[in-house]
Amino acid sequence: MKKKVLITGGNKGIGFETAKQLLAKNYHVYIGCRDAAKAVDAIEELNKLGFTDVEAIDLDVTDENAIMMAANKITELDVLINNAGIPGDFPQNASETSPENIRKVFDTNFFGLIQLTQVLIPTLKKSLAPIIVNVSSDLGSLGNHTNPEWEHYQVKPIAYCASKTALNAFTVMLAYEFKDTNFKINSVNPGYTKTDFNNNQGPKSVEDAAELIVQYAVLDENGPTGKFFSDNGESPW
């Protein structure tokens, strides 16, 4: 039986490419998208590429009803990839960014992600090898932010960075909770990738970024858990 994976924000960018690569590995893919029309477009594009084992799931991770409806539709799940995220409004100086802007980012990048994950854990527990990949960022690493030698040391948007730091904390706590089970739960930083998310400024391709996410979405029973990974291996929290 095919393994089944849900990718939030899977209709474009890194999420879409991740869907494509997992379909190529014979996974059944649920594409979570908050815009039904865009989800249909994504499915049609994948169908044209010869991938048919894919379904669209109406899913706004900030909408509790949408989360519950999505969870009710997904009765079997092996992999959850929490990819949906927003950057928030800029600039984001720590001394001036509004609490409203920070809350908006956290609603998607942290609170919505946690609620969706918690709702889907009972379904994931049915899998022989459940996996959760939390798509994070090197901008969520406090170790990086306190290192003047880090290449992005000067980049410190408070809302976005703090939301990814909080996400990493959730990864650590959840992985510890399930450390004596068959769950594999990790944060993955796909890197500075050229997508709509950053006005196509990133130097990395979506293909390479998705390949890293897929690497940790297909772990076997000997794979790591409770870690934070980037291209160069384990990253500092």
Side-chain angles (χ1 to χ4, degrees), residues 87-92 97 101 104-105 159:
D89 298 327
F90 285 81
Q92 287 183 19
T97 302
N101 189 20
K104 181 179 179 181
V105 175

Side-chain angles (χ1 to χ4, degrees), residues 6-18 32 61 80-86 108-109 113 116 133-136 160 164 167 188 190 197 210 213:
L6 169 63
I7 305 170
T8 64
N11 62 294
K12 65 177 183 178
I14 296 173
F16 181 80
E17 179 61 29
T18 300
V61 297
L80 170 61
I81 300 178
N82 285 310
N83 169 72
I86 62 171
T108 295
N109 296 5
L113 179 152
L116 176 66
V133 176
N134 291 325
V135 179
S136 187
Y160 181 74
K164 293 300 186 180
L167 167 60
V188 175
F197 192 87
I213 293 172

